[in-house]
Amino acid sequence: MPERCPSKPISYTEQVILFALMTSLIALSIDAMLPALAAIEADLMITDPNGRQYIVVSLFAGLALGFFIFGPISDSMGRKGPIYVGFGIFMVGCLLSIFSTSFEVMLVGRFLQGLGAAAPRVISIAIIRDQFEGRAMARFMSLVMTVFILVPVLAPGMGQIMIMVLDWRAIFWAMFILGVITSFWFALRQVETLPAPKRSHFSVSRIRLSIAEILTNRTSFGFTILAGFVFSSFLVYLSTAQQIFQDQYGVGDLFPVYFGALALAVGGASFTNSALVMKLGMRNLVRTALWALSALSAVYLVVALLTAGQPPLWSLMIYLLFLFFCLGILFGNVNAMAMEPMGHIAGIASAVVSSISTVQSVIIGTLIAQTYDGTILPLVSGFFGLGLVSLVVFYVTDRKSSPAPSP
């Protein structure tokens, strides 16, 4: 990978776009595949009706391990080198998935995709923390999310077109090409933000002590667990979206339109958050979003029960649009709050926060998604229950946090 100093420093806007593209490897690996799940299920002879969900879940399992590996390494070797390794693993995973002829090989390829994509995801957070803190960090992450949201808006449609014109394997070729382009852009334009004098010696004892510091810091640990509960509900949606829209409601080729509309709600919330967070602070926004999410889910759970889990599609879309706006407020703020006290160990902290929350979401989200029974009751119940638990975690963490000025 070429390593050179850019002729002129990367601008704030270019860095936002670059980091959004780096983060989008994960989104593209998930969202572009959703319209293809039924085709993959038939081609690879998956017999379990909910088995296709593991094509999504296996990627998150790789992410969880990758987060934990690449974060500490970036504190010792610098930020850029480990990201190159991650890009390479991601591309190998793409190739393995392209040439897979069995469900098991597909899952290995998906796991490697997640393992590799974890590097640009977790280390980009460390790079951001190297340069920003507090509300400025939350604002930058919200802007990244705003640009990034174009991927889940467009990816399902791209996947749908590829299935119609070519086949599902072409989707993995698109992921591979994006990985190549992004890796070279990063190499040529992004400077190293952790110079050698600031790097830490890699040792198991240091990692253990750093993990202990994060786990015993009430703010970091509390908001890490909160992030896990929030993302668990989102993972339930990602795992069941294709079944709900195409199998249950029969939207067919219009699935990308519905999926993209909901992604736009997250993007709109992220853009709104980037403006409001500097005025209102992260805690106020998180508190409001959690209450709104829980209240909306409580009301719609009643609607779902009264319709035996088959409410009109238009009502489901209205509910999810408002719900996803709340999630867009939560995503950037909760992670920034978990990272706020850990600037001195940003790499390991980013790894631990991301790894714990991802493992938590994979376990909880998979258990809920596997209960899908042809109705939306598991989805809405999951959002409601996880919303209430998240509120409890928020208030316990906020009450016990040190009485520093609210970020």
Side-chain angles (χ1 to χ4, degrees):
M1 186 67 59
E3 186 68 51
R4 48 176 279 191
C5 293
S7 56
K8 64 178 182 177
I10 188 169
S11 68
Y12 188 93
T13 300
E14 182 184 353
Q15 193 175 44
V16 166
I17 296 172
L18 173 59
F19 280 29
L21 192 58
M22 290 167 60
T23 305
S24 73
L25 289 178
I26 298 174
L28 182 66
S29 299
I30 299 167
D31 302 332
M33 293 305 304
L34 296 180
L37 289 179
I40 295 174
E41 180 182 56
D43 200 9
L44 300 183
M45 294 178 289
I46 304 171
T47 56
D48 182 356
N50 285 335
R52 68 183 77 170
Q53 295 177 6
Y54 292 112
I55 297 175
V56 176
V57 172
S58 59
L59 182 132
F60 281 97
L63 281 173
L65 178 61
F67 287 153
F68 191 76
I69 292 174
F70 287 110
I73 290 177
S74 76
D75 277 346
S76 301
M77 299 179 58
R79 309 302 188 200
K80 298 191 71 172
I83 286 184
Y84 300 151
V85 175
F87 275 123
I89 296 174
F90 173 80
M91 294 173 201
V92 170
C94 290
L95 293 174
L96 196 60
S97 298
I98 289 168
F99 297 107
S100 62
T101 56
S102 69
F103 186 41
E104 292 75 17
V105 174
M106 166 63 72
L107 294 183
V108 173
R110 294 290 284 169
F111 179 85
L112 290 178
Q113 280 187 282
L115 181 66
R121 171 67 174 85
V122 73
I123 299 176
S124 66
I125 295 176
I127 293 175
I128 294 170
R129 184 60 184 85
D130 289 339
Q131 301 173 98
F132 307 99
E133 61 182 41
R135 298 183 184 187
M137 179 180 177
R139 178 176 182 269
F140 189 95
M141 293 181 70
S142 293
L143 290 172
V144 168
M145 179 64 72
T146 302
V147 178
F148 150 85
I149 210 65
L150 291 174
V151 175
V153 170
L154 300 176
M158 182 194 74
Q160 188 77 54
I161 292 172
M162 287 186 173
I163 296 171
M164 296 170 61
V165 177
L166 300 169
D167 64 11
W168 59 265
R169 298 177 195 273
I171 299 173
F172 288 101
W173 279 115
M175 297 178 196
F176 180 86
I177 294 170
L178 179 64
V180 172
I181 293 173
T182 308
S183 62
F184 273 87
W185 184 2
F186 174 81
L188 295 172
R189 295 294 297 147
Q190 176 63 47
V191 298
E192 176 62 62
T193 58
L194 188 67
K198 293 186 177 181
R199 296 175 190 174
S200 305
H201 178 68
F202 185 86
S203 69
V204 175
S205 61
R206 178 181 173 274
I207 294 175
R208 179 176 55 82
L209 291 173
S210 298
I211 292 174
E213 180 181 353
I214 295 165
L215 297 182
T216 54
N217 183 288
R218 287 168 175 167
T219 298
S220 286
F221 183 67
F223 284 107
T224 296
I225 296 300
L226 177 56
F229 283 125
V230 169
F231 201 75
S232 293
S233 59
F234 190 61
L235 183 56
V236 175
Y237 166 74
L238 288 176
S239 299
T240 60
Q242 185 269 334
Q243 291 170 287
I244 290 173
F245 285 108
Q246 290 191 315
D247 296 348
Q248 181 178 340
Y249 284 98
V251 301
D253 293 343
L254 290 177
F255 169 63
V257 177
Y258 289 94
F259 190 91
L262 296 176
L264 282 175
V266 179
S270 298
F271 181 77
T272 302
N273 186 72
S274 68
L276 293 180
V277 71
M278 303 301 289
K279 298 178 180 179
L280 302 179
M282 292 182 282
R283 277 183 170 81
N284 291 330
L285 289 170
V286 168
R287 183 188 302 109
T288 302
L290 285 175
W291 272 111
L293 183 150
S294 301
L296 284 168
S297 297
V299 172
Y300 201 72
L301 181 57
V302 174
V303 174
L305 289 170
L306 291 175
T307 57
Q310 304 286 349
L313 180 57
W314 64 264
S315 69
L316 176 63
M317 285 298 296
I318 292 174
Y319 162 67
L320 291 177
L321 283 168
F322 282 105
L323 196 79
F324 278 40
F325 189 88
C326 295
L327 289 176
I329 296 292
L330 291 170
F331 285 150
N333 288 326
V334 171
N335 281 299
M337 292 174 75
M339 286 288 295
E340 178 60 22
M342 298 295 153
H344 57 294
I345 50 170
I348 293 180
S350 178
V352 174
V353 169
S354 299
S355 185
I356 291 176
S357 60
T358 302
V359 170
Q360 180 184 345
S361 65
V362 166
I363 294 173
I364 298 174
T366 301
L367 289 174
I368 297 175
Q370 283 291 300
T371 66
Y372 177 73
D373 56 359
T375 76
I376 65 160
L377 287 174
L379 176 68
V380 182
S381 299
F383 272 120
F384 176 62
L386 292 169
L388 290 182
V389 174
S390 298
L391 273 172
V392 173
V393 173
F394 172 79
Y395 279 107
V396 170
T397 301
D398 196 44
R399 187 182 72 244
K400 292 186 176 181
S401 298
S402 57
S406 177

